[in-house]
Each structure stands twice: as C-alpha cells, then as structure tokens.
Amino acid sequence: MLNFTPNSLKMTQDLSTELKIKEAAKRVFMAKGFDGCSTREIAKEAGMNVALVNYYFRSKGQLFQLIFRAALEDFMLSMVDVFSTDLSLESKMRIFIEREYDFLTKHPEMPGFIIGEMSRADGCGAGNMYWMKDKIAETGIFNDIQKAQEAGEIRKMDLLSIALILMSNCHFPFLGKPFVQNALHVSDEHYEQQLVLHKQYVTEMMINYLFINK
Amino acid sequence: MLNFTPNSLKMTQDLSTELKIKEAAKRVFMAKGFDGCSTREIAKEAGMNVALVNYYFRSKGQLFQLIFRAALEDFMLSMVDVFSTDLSLESKMRIFIEREYDFLTKHPEMPGFIIGEMSRADGCGAGNMYWMKDKIAETGIFNDIQKAQEAGEIRKMDLLSIALILMSNCHFPFLGKPFVQNALHVSDEHYEQQLVLHKQYVTEMMINYLFINK
DNA sequence: ACTCATTTTAAACAAGCGTTTAAAACAAAG
DNA sequence: CTTTGTTTTAAACGCTTGTTTAAAATGAGT
C-alpha cells in the first residue's frame, strides 16, 4: 500500500498527538507564560499523558523555544510582507498599521507574550533573533525611508524612533489593555469599539507627524 | 523607660529585617515576576532565613500584594500630582510626558512588571485598582479635558483614546525595549540616547495632534 | 502467528516549592 | 539571675515540579 507521509507509517494518530501537544502548549504558554505553567498542565490541556510531552519534545524548555520562535515568526510576517510591495511609503505605513491592528485583534495576547518572555532571565535572548533585522531589511523598507528622508518627504529622525512611534501606537493598546481598562473602568465592549476609532486616530497622528507637508 | 515605637521594643534590628526582606522582594519580584522566583530566593537576596519571610509577611502571595500595590502607587504618583496644578492643559500634558520619561528612566522595569503581573490569572485583579480612576478624577483633569473639548481647543475623542495615546508613547519605549533593541540591533547606549530625542518627538507629535491649531 | 519498531502508559525519581514547627538565641524588665 | 516576650534558626512537612524508566499497547511487514 502506498504511503506518502514521511518519517512515519501511521499518521492519523501520530502527527495528531504531536500537533495536539504543540497547540495545547501554545495556548497554555501564551496564557500563563513559561514560569506560570507546568508540563502536566500542558499534557492535560492536550488530553495526553505527561511523558508524551518529553517523548516528542525532549523538555519543557525545548517545547517552549519551538512555540516562542513560531510566535515570533507569525508576529513578523504581517509586518514584513506589506513592506515588500511597491506602494508609496505613506501607503505602506497606512496598510502596515491596518494590518497590525487586524493581527493584534485576532491575537491580542501576542505582544504581551513575546515582550514578557523576552525579558525573562533565561528567555530566548539576543542570539535567537538576529534574523529579524535582516528579514526586515530584505523588504527594502530601510532604503525607502532613507530615500524619503533625503528627499525631504519625511522627517529626519533615527530609524529607532520611527519604529518606536509605529510600534508604540499599534502594540500598546493591546499590551496595556488590562491596566488601562482597570484604571479607567472600561468595559470590554467599549474598549474594543474604541480600538476601531483609535486605529484611525493614531494613523492620522503618525502620518501627519512623520510626513512633511508641502 | 519611654518607648515611642509601636508594636515593638527593639527597633533597629526589627524594622531592618522586615525592610530588608521587603526591598529584596521588590527587586526579585520586579526582575523575575511572581511565578519566576521562590520564597527562598527572596530570603537569600535579603540575606535572611527562609522562615522569616513568612514570619513577617505570612505568605509569598501577601508579600507580593504588598510590593505590587506599592509599585502601583509609585506608578500613579508621578502622573497625578502634575494634573493637580493649575497650569494650562497643554502645559500639564507637556510636563506629564516629561515626568513620565524621567520616572521610567529611573524605573524602566516598572511598566513591564505591572502590566505583566496584571495579566496573570490570579494576579491583583479588577477590585484592587478601583481607587485609581477616583485618584485621577480628584485632580480635575477629566473636567479640564471635557471643558477644552467643548471649547474646541482639543480634539473631541473618547477619554480612553487620549489616555492610550499618552501612555502608548510614554510606556512602550520602555516596555518594548528588549524586543525593539534585539529586532533592530541597537546598543544600550544608543537606545538611551535616542530616548531623550524620542521624548521630544512624541511630545510634539501628540500635542500637535490633540490640540487644534487656530 | 510472530517480529520488531514505534507509541503510550503508569509509576517512580530527585529536587524544589510554600509553609509550619519547635527549639534556640536574644533582649529588655523585675 | 530569672522571667517573659520577641526574633531567628534549622529541620521537617506534604506537595508539585521536570524528567526518566520500564513495561504495556499498538500496528504494519514477513
């Protein structure tokens, strides 16, 4: 009998368990963080035996690294592919903000997870993310910005500040939700509704500031 | 013999150990989070016996609540007292941003700690922070904003969006430092230098956007 | 039916956890 | 010196942690 699945003969159960654990781990790690959960909790969430976690992924740490890197790649993907188009710089930024709000609305726990776990002592430190800048550079966005600065179209400021302005106004509304919501007594519904308007506000604010009006 | 110290006869050692533990706990909790550290680690950091932590603070959880609430109050204090002055709304905002950057430069781990621990499942949830909005309201800043909106001086937008714009551009540069720094290969020195400029950029950007030019 | 490698299981491991205990050390008062 | 209350200590408690083990179950090839 023909079998097209590599590395394994029975696939239904096989890949299923590995995937189930990986997806359970993703859910649990993102909700509680590396320190905030146990191997047994992940196993239970996946409906599997504890030992299977280590059978497929060797250790809690390695499973975490897998999840973390995947999350990081997801996180970058929505950014990067907008920059690769041949739209104007202003359009790129507008669409970038749009996409960022879309993505974060679907995955609101993402920025907290990544930033939170990156600050951990033994968290996936510097070395693991060296590919990121290169990935962004490949899109040519850095050149676009430099050209636009030389042409006097956008304000001459360090790339870091441009990145900070964009990320601050896209990510903080999701990152800081638990704090801001409690501090101002805002309901979930009102918060989510306001985010739609907020996206438009910050788009206008940032474009107005970054781009020099003739 | 007269004794003015309450609840205790010898004070030098007494308050010293309690304070040492509290300060060690503050350091450790802020660096590693509630789940990321142990009672024994706090005791060792304070140079004290493990049991003393529970002798003075009953449990790890109660000690944490103490530290967390104190951090939250510190966090609010720098905001609130600017708003209580009788400066113009624009001046208040300018000084607010200035103070916020000053405070966060001295305590860069603060926003990550507060936001991170607030998202924890059993973290100090809603009930504990009901005082915050009242504390801000007492300063009259909410009225100032409403008046300014009715007078057409500042843009008519929900209070939530105004708060989000201010906090995003003040807190994210510190919150997201580990991520942004790694993503763009930025050294500590450059990052800190740029933050001084960044503060001026975002001040101009926010004021320009929020206040309607005649 | 038997083989053999893979997958799953229950049980166990040492280590670390938060917390408690009971005794020791201490310091002031009578 | 003895008493009395507080502070500090070492040791232990029961429990959970990450990980390993060795046996059981599984399923395809011969």
Side-chain angles (χ1 to χ4, degrees):
Chain A
M1 176 203 177
L2 289 173
N3 183 1
F4 296 101
T5 59
N7 298 335
S8 176
L9 298 175
K10 54 167 174 168
M11 82 161 262
T12 47
Q13 286 277 22
D14 216 5
L15 283 182
S16 169
T17 45
E18 189 171 339
L19 222 152
K20 269 180 194 166
I21 293 172
K22 208 145 75 177
E23 281 174 350
K26 187 174 171 181
R27 262 173 281 140
V28 177
F29 277 142
M30 290 223 176
K32 310 207 184 186
F34 182 82
D35 291 327
C37 72
S38 67
T39 316
R40 282 169 174 84
E41 193 176 349
I42 293 171
K44 182 175 278 182
E45 171 82 13
M48 303 286 162
N49 189 290
V50 206
L52 284 175
V53 175
N54 284 8
Y55 175 74
Y56 281 104
F57 303 97
R58 298 194 63 81
S59 76
K60 186 191 180 189
Q62 287 204 27
L63 174 54
F64 178 80
Q65 283 223 1
L66 212 75
I67 302 296
F68 184 79
R69 290 182 200 194
L72 214 67
E73 251 161 278
D74 272 15
F75 197 56
M76 296 291 289
L77 218 80
S78 58
M79 300 209 226
V80 165
D81 71 337
V82 188
F83 294 154
S84 304
T85 62
D86 57 351
L87 297 161
S88 72
L89 187 55
E90 184 179 328
S91 293
K92 281 186 188 176
M93 285 204 182
R94 296 194 109 99
I95 298 176
F96 167 78
I97 300 165
E98 193 82 35
R99 295 263 183 100
E100 215 56 358
Y101 270 80
D102 273 5
F103 178 81
L104 293 171
T105 302
K106 282 181 210 132
H107 311 281
E109 72 294 340
M110 199 67 114
F113 173 65
I114 288 175
I115 287 177
E117 298 296 328
M118 275 198 65
S119 341
R120 272 213 354 270
D122 66 337
C124 301
N128 285 348
M129 340 185 17
Y130 235 72
W131 57 273
M132 282 182 23
K133 192 181 183 183
D134 299 334
K135 210 85 182 173
I136 306 172
E138 280 173 14
T139 66
I141 188 73
F142 295 151
N143 293 330
D144 290 359
I145 290 173
Q146 202 188 334
K147 289 255 171 67
Q149 281 179 331
E150 285 164 2
E153 289 164 19
I154 74 165
R155 217 175 271 267
K156 277 179 184 142
M157 47 178 18
D158 196 287
L159 201 72
L160 173 56
S161 264
I162 297 178
L164 276 179
I165 286 175
L166 282 168
M167 293 189 64
S168 294
N169 292 284
C170 288
H171 293 160
F172 186 86
F174 298 88
L175 251 174
K177 193 190 171 201
F179 178 81
V180 177
Q181 204 174 353
N182 273 301
L184 299 182
H185 303 171
V186 177
S187 71
D188 276 321
E189 303 84 47
H190 181 206
Y191 202 95
E192 277 150 35
Q193 282 172 21
Q194 190 58 35
L195 276 190
V196 181
L197 294 174
H198 192 74
K199 177 180 62 179
Q200 296 165 353
Y201 295 154
V202 297
T203 304
E204 199 186 336
M205 179 180 73
M206 291 191 279
I207 297 288
N208 276 351
Y209 181 73
L210 292 175
F211 288 83
I212 295 163
N213 288 331
K214 285 154 265 185
Chain B
M1 176 205 174
L2 289 173
N3 183 0
F4 295 101
T5 59
N7 297 335
S8 177
L9 299 175
K10 55 167 176 170
M11 81 162 261
T12 46
Q13 285 278 24
D14 215 5
L15 282 182
S16 169
T17 44
E18 190 173 339
L19 221 153
K20 271 181 194 164
I21 293 172
K22 208 146 74 176
E23 282 175 349
K26 189 174 170 181
R27 262 173 282 141
V28 176
F29 277 143
M30 289 223 177
K32 310 207 184 187
F34 182 82
D35 291 327
C37 72
S38 66
T39 316
R40 285 168 172 85
E41 193 176 349
I42 293 171
K44 182 175 277 182
E45 171 82 13
M48 303 286 163
N49 190 290
V50 206
L52 284 175
V53 175
N54 282 10
Y55 176 73
Y56 282 104
F57 302 98
R58 297 195 63 82
S59 77
K60 186 192 180 188
Q62 287 204 27
L63 174 54
F64 177 81
Q65 283 223 0
L66 212 75
I67 302 295
F68 184 79
R69 289 183 199 193
L72 213 68
E73 252 162 277
D74 272 16
F75 197 57
M76 295 291 287
L77 220 80
S78 57
M79 300 207 224
V80 165
D81 71 338
V82 188
F83 293 155
S84 303
T85 63
D86 57 351
L87 296 161
S88 72
L89 186 56
E90 184 180 327
S91 294
K92 280 186 189 176
M93 286 205 182
R94 294 196 112 98
I95 299 177
F96 167 78
I97 300 165
E98 193 83 36
R99 295 264 182 98
E100 216 53 0
Y101 269 81
D102 274 6
F103 178 81
L104 292 171
T105 302
K106 282 180 209 130
H107 311 281
E109 72 294 340
M110 199 68 113
F113 173 65
I114 289 176
I115 287 177
E117 298 297 328
M118 273 198 66
S119 340
R120 274 214 352 271
D122 65 337
C124 300
N128 284 349
M129 339 188 15
Y130 235 71
W131 56 274
M132 283 184 21
K133 191 182 182 182
D134 299 335
K135 210 82 181 176
I136 306 173
E138 281 172 15
T139 66
I141 187 73
F142 295 152
N143 293 331
D144 291 0
I145 290 173
Q146 201 188 336
K147 289 253 173 67
Q149 281 178 330
E150 285 164 1
E153 290 163 19
I154 73 166
R155 218 175 271 268
K156 277 178 184 144
M157 47 179 16
D158 197 288
L159 201 71
L160 173 56
S161 265
I162 297 177
L164 276 180
I165 286 176
L166 283 168
M167 293 190 63
S168 293
N169 292 284
C170 289
H171 293 160
F172 186 86
F174 298 88
L175 252 173
K177 193 190 171 202
F179 178 80
V180 178
Q181 204 174 353
N182 274 301
L184 298 183
H185 304 172
V186 177
S187 71
D188 276 322
E189 303 84 47
H190 181 205
Y191 201 96
E192 278 150 34
Q193 283 172 21
Q194 189 59 35
L195 275 190
V196 182
L197 295 174
H198 192 74
K199 176 180 64 180
Q200 296 166 353
Y201 296 154
V202 297
T203 305
E204 200 186 336
M205 178 180 73
M206 289 190 280
I207 298 288
N208 276 352
Y209 182 73
L210 292 175
F211 288 84
I212 296 162
N213 288 331
K214 284 157 266 186

PDB file of all heavy atoms in Angstrom, chain B residues 34-56:
ATOM      1  N   PHE B  34       6.179  37.048  39.809  1.00  0.00           N
ATOM      2  CA  PHE B  34       5.721  36.198  40.922  1.00  0.00           C
ATOM      3  C   PHE B  34       6.035  34.726  40.676  1.00  0.00           C
ATOM      4  O   PHE B  34       6.569  34.035  41.536  1.00  0.00           O
ATOM      5  CB  PHE B  34       4.214  36.383  41.116  1.00  0.00           C
ATOM      6  CG  PHE B  34       3.652  35.596  42.264  1.00  0.00           C
ATOM      7  CD1 PHE B  34       3.740  36.076  43.554  1.00  0.00           C
ATOM      8  CD2 PHE B  34       3.028  34.373  42.039  1.00  0.00           C
ATOM      9  CE1 PHE B  34       3.224  35.347  44.625  1.00  0.00           C
ATOM     10  CE2 PHE B  34       2.512  33.639  43.106  1.00  0.00           C
ATOM     11  CZ  PHE B  34       2.606  34.128  44.398  1.00  0.00           C
ATOM     12  N   ASP B  35       5.722  34.250  39.488  1.00  0.00           N
ATOM     13  CA  ASP B  35       5.935  32.838  39.175  1.00  0.00           C
ATOM     14  C   ASP B  35       7.408  32.498  38.961  1.00  0.00           C
ATOM     15  O   ASP B  35       7.800  31.346  39.095  1.00  0.00           O
ATOM     16  CB  ASP B  35       5.160  32.457  37.912  1.00  0.00           C
ATOM     17  CG  ASP B  35       3.664  32.462  38.143  1.00  0.00           C
ATOM     18  OD1 ASP B  35       3.242  32.130  39.264  1.00  0.00           O
ATOM     19  OD2 ASP B  35       2.923  32.794  37.212  1.00  0.00           O
ATOM     20  N   GLY B  36       8.200  33.504  38.621  1.00  0.00           N
ATOM     21  CA  GLY B  36       9.579  33.240  38.231  1.00  0.00           C
ATOM     22  C   GLY B  36      10.565  33.178  39.378  1.00  0.00           C
ATOM     23  O   GLY B  36      11.747  32.976  39.152  1.00  0.00           O
ATOM     24  N   CYS B  37      10.092  33.337  40.606  1.00  0.00           N
ATOM     25  CA  CYS B  37      11.017  33.302  41.749  1.00  0.00           C
ATOM     26  C   CYS B  37      10.413  32.523  42.904  1.00  0.00           C
ATOM     27  O   CYS B  37       9.228  32.226  42.918  1.00  0.00           O
ATOM     28  CB  CYS B  37      11.346  34.715  42.201  1.00  0.00           C
ATOM     29  SG  CYS B  37       9.996  35.565  43.025  1.00  0.00           S
ATOM     30  N   SER B  38      11.251  32.202  43.872  1.00  0.00           N
ATOM     31  CA  SER B  38      10.803  31.423  45.027  1.00  0.00           C
ATOM     32  C   SER B  38      11.031  32.209  46.312  1.00  0.00           C
ATOM     33  O   SER B  38      11.827  33.154  46.357  1.00  0.00           O
ATOM     34  CB  SER B  38      11.586  30.117  45.113  1.00  0.00           C
ATOM     35  OG  SER B  38      12.944  30.375  45.399  1.00  0.00           O
ATOM     36  N   THR B  39      10.309  31.802  47.353  1.00  0.00           N
ATOM     37  CA  THR B  39      10.489  32.418  48.671  1.00  0.00           C
ATOM     38  C   THR B  39      11.944  32.351  49.109  1.00  0.00           C
ATOM     39  O   THR B  39      12.481  33.310  49.661  1.00  0.00           O
ATOM     40  CB  THR B  39       9.623  31.678  49.705  1.00  0.00           C
ATOM     41  OG1 THR B  39       8.339  31.440  49.147  1.00  0.00           O
ATOM     42  CG2 THR B  39       9.459  32.505  50.956  1.00  0.00           C
ATOM     43  N   ARG B  40      12.560  31.199  48.845  1.00  0.00           N
ATOM     44  CA  ARG B  40      13.960  31.025  49.249  1.00  0.00           C
ATOM     45  C   ARG B  40      14.884  32.000  48.530  1.00  0.00           C
ATOM     46  O   ARG B  40      15.866  32.476  49.090  1.00  0.00           O
ATOM     47  CB  ARG B  40      14.394  29.582  48.985  1.00  0.00           C
ATOM     48  CG  ARG B  40      13.838  28.595  50.001  1.00  0.00           C
ATOM     49  CD  ARG B  40      14.052  27.155  49.547  1.00  0.00           C
ATOM     50  NE  ARG B  40      13.689  26.192  50.597  1.00  0.00           N
ATOM     51  CZ  ARG B  40      12.458  25.754  50.789  1.00  0.00           C
ATOM     52  NH1 ARG B  40      11.486  26.189  50.020  1.00  0.00           N
ATOM     53  NH2 ARG B  40      12.205  24.894  51.765  1.00  0.00           N
ATOM     54  N   GLU B  41      14.559  32.300  47.284  1.00  0.00           N
ATOM     55  CA  GLU B  41      15.382  33.240  46.516  1.00  0.00           C
ATOM     56  C   GLU B  41      15.295  34.639  47.118  1.00  0.00           C
ATOM     57  O   GLU B  41      16.312  35.334  47.228  1.00  0.00           O
ATOM     58  CB  GLU B  41      14.900  33.262  45.060  1.00  0.00           C
ATOM     59  CG  GLU B  41      15.857  33.951  44.104  1.00  0.00           C
ATOM     60  CD  GLU B  41      15.377  33.864  42.663  1.00  0.00           C
ATOM     61  OE1 GLU B  41      14.434  33.102  42.395  1.00  0.00           O
ATOM     62  OE2 GLU B  41      15.951  34.557  41.814  1.00  0.00           O
ATOM     63  N   ILE B  42      14.106  35.030  47.522  1.00  0.00           N
ATOM     64  CA  ILE B  42      13.922  36.333  48.158  1.00  0.00           C
ATOM     65  C   ILE B  42      14.685  36.381  49.473  1.00  0.00           C
ATOM     66  O   ILE B  42      15.369  37.359  49.777  1.00  0.00           O
ATOM     67  CB  ILE B  42      12.421  36.616  48.385  1.00  0.00           C
ATOM     68  CG1 ILE B  42      11.713  36.777  47.037  1.00  0.00           C
ATOM     69  CG2 ILE B  42      12.217  37.856  49.233  1.00  0.00           C
ATOM     70  CD1 ILE B  42      10.202  36.838  47.138  1.00  0.00           C
ATOM     71  N   ALA B  43      14.563  35.312  50.254  1.00  0.00           N
ATOM     72  CA  ALA B  43      15.258  35.263  51.542  1.00  0.00           C
ATOM     73  C   ALA B  43      16.772  35.366  51.345  1.00  0.00           C
ATOM     74  O   ALA B  43      17.451  36.122  52.044  1.00  0.00           O
ATOM     75  CB  ALA B  43      14.912  33.961  52.255  1.00  0.00           C
ATOM     76  N   LYS B  44      17.301  34.644  50.380  1.00  0.00           N
ATOM     77  CA  LYS B  44      18.740  34.676  50.110  1.00  0.00           C
ATOM     78  C   LYS B  44      19.169  36.073  49.671  1.00  0.00           C
ATOM     79  O   LYS B  44      20.173  36.595  50.141  1.00  0.00           O
ATOM     80  CB  LYS B  44      19.094  33.638  49.032  1.00  0.00           C
ATOM     81  CG  LYS B  44      20.585  33.580  48.732  1.00  0.00           C
ATOM     82  CD  LYS B  44      20.922  32.461  47.751  1.00  0.00           C
ATOM     83  CE  LYS B  44      21.052  31.122  48.463  1.00  0.00           C
ATOM     84  NZ  LYS B  44      21.436  30.017  47.549  1.00  0.00           N
ATOM     85  N   GLU B  45      18.377  36.695  48.797  1.00  0.00           N
ATOM     86  CA  GLU B  45      18.667  38.061  48.339  1.00  0.00           C
ATOM     87  C   GLU B  45      18.702  39.031  49.523  1.00  0.00           C
ATOM     88  O   GLU B  45      19.483  39.977  49.523  1.00  0.00           O
ATOM     89  CB  GLU B  45      17.606  38.507  47.321  1.00  0.00           C
ATOM     90  CG  GLU B  45      17.660  39.969  46.919  1.00  0.00           C
ATOM     91  CD  GLU B  45      18.681  40.270  45.842  1.00  0.00           C
ATOM     92  OE1 GLU B  45      19.189  39.313  45.221  1.00  0.00           O
ATOM     93  OE2 GLU B  45      18.977  41.453  45.636  1.00  0.00           O
ATOM     94  N   ALA B  46      17.854  38.780  50.519  1.00  0.00           N
ATOM     95  CA  ALA B  46      17.812  39.649  51.700  1.00  0.00           C
ATOM     96  C   ALA B  46      18.838  39.222  52.743  1.00  0.00           C
ATOM     97  O   ALA B  46      19.041  39.910  53.740  1.00  0.00           O
ATOM     98  CB  ALA B  46      16.414  39.634  52.302  1.00  0.00           C
ATOM     99  N   GLY B  47      19.485  38.087  52.524  1.00  0.00           N
ATOM    100  CA  GLY B  47      20.447  37.566  53.491  1.00  0.00           C
ATOM    101  C   GLY B  47      19.790  37.059  54.761  1.00  0.00           C
ATOM    102  O   GLY B  47      20.372  37.103  55.829  1.00  0.00           O
ATOM    103  N   MET B  48      18.572  36.573  54.633  1.00  0.00           N
ATOM    104  CA  MET B  48      17.799  36.143  55.803  1.00  0.00           C
ATOM    105  C   MET B  48      17.363  34.680  55.671  1.00  0.00           C
ATOM    106  O   MET B  48      17.390  34.103  54.600  1.00  0.00           O
ATOM    107  CB  MET B  48      16.546  37.012  55.950  1.00  0.00           C
ATOM    108  CG  MET B  48      16.821  38.497  56.063  1.00  0.00           C
ATOM    109  SD  MET B  48      17.489  38.930  57.670  1.00  0.00           S
ATOM    110  CE  MET B  48      18.163  40.560  57.313  1.00  0.00           C
ATOM    111  N   ASN B  49      16.895  34.143  56.765  1.00  0.00           N
ATOM    112  CA  ASN B  49      16.353  32.791  56.793  1.00  0.00           C
ATOM    113  C   ASN B  49      15.011  32.755  56.051  1.00  0.00           C
ATOM    114  O   ASN B  49      14.278  33.732  56.038  1.00  0.00           O
ATOM    115  CB  ASN B  49      16.169  32.357  58.243  1.00  0.00           C
ATOM    116  CG  ASN B  49      15.847  30.886  58.349  1.00  0.00           C
ATOM    117  OD1 ASN B  49      14.765  30.475  57.967  1.00  0.00           O
ATOM    118  ND2 ASN B  49      16.789  30.114  58.837  1.00  0.00           N
ATOM    119  N   VAL B  50      14.740  31.598  55.439  1.00  0.00           N
ATOM    120  CA  VAL B  50      13.510  31.453  54.653  1.00  0.00           C
ATOM    121  C   VAL B  50      12.277  31.717  55.493  1.00  0.00           C
ATOM    122  O   VAL B  50      11.341  32.389  55.045  1.00  0.00           O
ATOM    123  CB  VAL B  50      13.372  30.024  54.084  1.00  0.00           C
ATOM    124  CG1 VAL B  50      12.532  30.039  52.837  1.00  0.00           C
ATOM    125  CG2 VAL B  50      14.714  29.403  53.860  1.00  0.00           C
ATOM    126  N   ALA B  51      12.273  31.198  56.696  1.00  0.00           N
ATOM    127  CA  ALA B  51      11.067  31.268  57.538  1.00  0.00           C
ATOM    128  C   ALA B  51      10.716  32.699  57.903  1.00  0.00           C
ATOM    129  O   ALA B  51       9.560  33.006  58.188  1.00  0.00           O
ATOM    130  CB  ALA B  51      11.260  30.440  58.796  1.00  0.00           C
ATOM    131  N   LEU B  52      11.715  33.589  57.882  1.00  0.00           N
ATOM    132  CA  LEU B  52      11.455  34.984  58.252  1.00  0.00           C
ATOM    133  C   LEU B  52      10.510  35.663  57.275  1.00  0.00           C
ATOM    134  O   LEU B  52       9.756  36.553  57.650  1.00  0.00           O
ATOM    135  CB  LEU B  52      12.768  35.754  58.334  1.00  0.00           C
ATOM    136  CG  LEU B  52      13.599  35.471  59.589  1.00  0.00           C
ATOM    137  CD1 LEU B  52      14.933  36.188  59.518  1.00  0.00           C
ATOM    138  CD2 LEU B  52      12.837  35.875  60.833  1.00  0.00           C
ATOM    139  N   VAL B  53      10.551  35.227  56.036  1.00  0.00           N
ATOM    140  CA  VAL B  53       9.653  35.805  55.028  1.00  0.00           C
ATOM    141  C   VAL B  53       8.206  35.582  55.448  1.00  0.00           C
ATOM    142  O   VAL B  53       7.394  36.507  55.439  1.00  0.00           O
ATOM    143  CB  VAL B  53       9.914  35.188  53.644  1.00  0.00           C
ATOM    144  CG1 VAL B  53       8.906  35.706  52.627  1.00  0.00           C
ATOM    145  CG2 VAL B  53      11.328  35.492  53.181  1.00  0.00           C
ATOM    146  N   ASN B  54       7.904  34.366  55.858  1.00  0.00           N
ATOM    147  CA  ASN B  54       6.546  34.060  56.279  1.00  0.00           C
ATOM    148  C   ASN B  54       6.251  34.563  57.684  1.00  0.00           C
ATOM    149  O   ASN B  54       5.100  34.797  58.036  1.00  0.00           O
ATOM    150  CB  ASN B  54       6.303  32.542  56.205  1.00  0.00           C
ATOM    151  CG  ASN B  54       6.064  32.098  54.788  1.00  0.00           C
ATOM    152  OD1 ASN B  54       6.250  32.873  53.853  1.00  0.00           O
ATOM    153  ND2 ASN B  54       5.659  30.861  54.611  1.00  0.00           N
ATOM    154  N   TYR B  55       7.314  34.730  58.495  1.00  0.00           N
ATOM    155  CA  TYR B  55       7.108  35.278  59.844  1.00  0.00           C
ATOM    156  C   TYR B  55       6.613  36.723  59.756  1.00  0.00           C
ATOM    157  O   TYR B  55       5.718  37.121  60.491  1.00  0.00           O
ATOM    158  CB  TYR B  55       8.408  35.189  60.640  1.00  0.00           C
ATOM    159  CG  TYR B  55       8.328  35.825  62.015  1.00  0.00           C
ATOM    160  CD1 TYR B  55       7.627  35.220  63.050  1.00  0.00           C
ATOM    161  CD2 TYR B  55       8.965  37.029  62.271  1.00  0.00           C
ATOM    162  CE1 TYR B  55       7.558  35.790  64.299  1.00  0.00           C
ATOM    163  CE2 TYR B  55       8.901  37.613  63.525  1.00  0.00           C
ATOM    164  CZ  TYR B  55       8.196  36.986  64.536  1.00  0.00           C
ATOM    165  OH  TYR B  55       8.136  37.563  65.788  1.00  0.00           O
ATOM    166  N   TYR B  56       7.189  37.490  58.818  1.00  0.00           N
ATOM    167  CA  TYR B  56       6.828  38.907  58.722  1.00  0.00           C
ATOM    168  C   TYR B  56       5.664  39.156  57.757  1.00  0.00           C
ATOM    169  O   TYR B  56       4.936  40.118  57.902  1.00  0.00           O
ATOM    170  CB  TYR B  56       8.031  39.730  58.286  1.00  0.00           C
ATOM    171  CG  TYR B  56       9.015  39.997  59.400  1.00  0.00           C
ATOM    172  CD1 TYR B  56      10.211  39.306  59.481  1.00  0.00           C
ATOM    173  CD2 TYR B  56       8.716  40.931  60.391  1.00  0.00           C
ATOM    174  CE1 TYR B  56      11.114  39.555  60.521  1.00  0.00           C
ATOM    175  CE2 TYR B  56       9.595  41.188  61.430  1.00  0.00           C
ATOM    176  CZ  TYR B  56      10.792  40.491  61.488  1.00  0.00           C
ATOM    177  OH  TYR B  56      11.660  40.724  62.517  1.00  0.00           O
TER     178      TYR B  56
END
